[in-house]
Amino acid sequence: GMEHDLYRKFLGSSYKGVSIVYVYNPDYKDKGNMLSLWHARDYCDDKTLFTTSDLLCDYRNISDFLKHPSDNKILIDDKSTDLFEDPDPVKVTVCNSRVTHILKDRYQMARVDGVAIGLYQFSESGIATVLDSIEEKIQAGNDNLSLYYALDHVLANENVEPVFAEVSLWTDIDTPDELEFAKGLRISTNPI
């Protein structure tokens, strides 16, 4: 999507020994971000880990997420309660160690237990269910939706575990002001 050529230029065909395959979403300007995952569906035939690309997150949280044994999981900040009412972050409801809802609109949820930081993993069957949900929404003419509508639909049938962030050191970078804010954070990006 946006600025895709800069990613290719910066990262090339591999990064730190890991081969990179680029998938372009030609609909990124006009339609919902769930189509980015939809365009990458041919690469989602096994356990799949994905993130939102405008995220900066402390390495400790990412490390804890990767070590968590569940194949279906979402990284969640339950400490930044001031964000529970903010319209931008993606909110989650957790019940009995299971994520039961994920949406931006706080008022579509009975309660908010945390904010999804933007790191997700699904098992082979879990990602297939996510892609089926996206396809249903596309076929119904709802290709302008956020990914979270498809994920919320999946949570009714898949056991997705929360991985709670150890530290609330993360930020979503959508604007130049948010980039300046991120530069001032003391976020660890290196293994401890």
Side-chain angles (χ1 to χ4, degrees):
M2 187 171 165
E3 306 290 358
H4 60 278
D5 289 333
L6 292 176
Y7 285 95
R8 286 180 193 257
K9 184 177 179 182
F10 180 77
L11 296 171
S13 60
S14 68
Y15 186 73
K16 294 187 177 185
V18 177
S19 295
I20 299 173
V21 175
Y22 294 92
V23 177
Y24 178 66
N25 173 5
D27 302 309
Y28 77 93
K29 284 184 184 178
D30 306 315
K31 298 187 179 177
N33 69 355
M34 72 177 178
L35 293 182
S36 291
L37 189 57
W38 180 249
H39 286 293
R41 66 190 178 277
D42 291 342
Y43 300 96
C44 299
D45 57 357
D46 201 345
K47 182 167 50 173
T48 302
L49 177 111
F50 60 93
T51 185
T52 53
S53 63
D54 58 356
L55 172 76
L56 183 62
C57 185
D58 192 275
Y59 183 83
R60 290 171 287 185
N61 294 330
I62 295 169
S63 178
D64 288 347
F65 182 84
L66 295 174
K67 290 175 187 173
H68 191 278
S70 178
D71 285 341
N72 294 315
K73 54 191 172 185
I74 298 174
L75 184 60
I76 296 171
D77 178 358
D78 62 343
K79 296 167 188 64
S80 298
T81 56
D82 56 318
L83 295 176
F84 291 12
E85 297 296 327
D86 188 310
D88 189 44
V90 176
K91 291 117 187 113
V92 297
T93 301
V94 177
C95 186
N96 298 323
S97 299
R98 180 178 174 198
V99 182
T100 57
H101 287 289
I102 182 166
L103 292 168
K104 276 195 169 193
D105 187 353
R106 187 257 179 277
Y107 300 103
Q108 292 182 333
M109 304 168 76
R111 70 172 200 271
V112 175
D113 297 312
V115 176
I117 295 177
L119 190 56
Y120 307 88
Q121 180 179 295
F122 288 92
S123 64
E124 181 178 348
S125 66
I127 196 66
T129 305
V130 170
L131 293 170
D132 287 346
S133 177
I134 293 172
E135 184 173 25
E136 286 173 19
K137 294 186 182 333
I138 292 169
Q139 289 178 352
N142 295 320
D143 59 358
N144 61 336
L145 293 175
S146 169
L147 173 64
Y148 311 110
Y149 287 94
L151 293 178
D152 190 65
H153 179 79
V154 167
L155 293 175
N157 300 315
E158 290 288 331
N159 184 22
V160 178
E161 294 186 29
V163 178
F164 293 105
E166 176 185 333
V167 292
S168 293
L169 282 175
W170 63 275
T171 190
D172 180 45
I173 305 170
D174 294 324
T175 67
D177 287 342
E178 290 174 342
L179 177 60
E180 288 306 311
F181 172 77
K183 288 177 181 178
L185 292 177
R186 295 186 175 268
I187 293 179
S188 171
T189 58
N190 293 313
I192 297 171

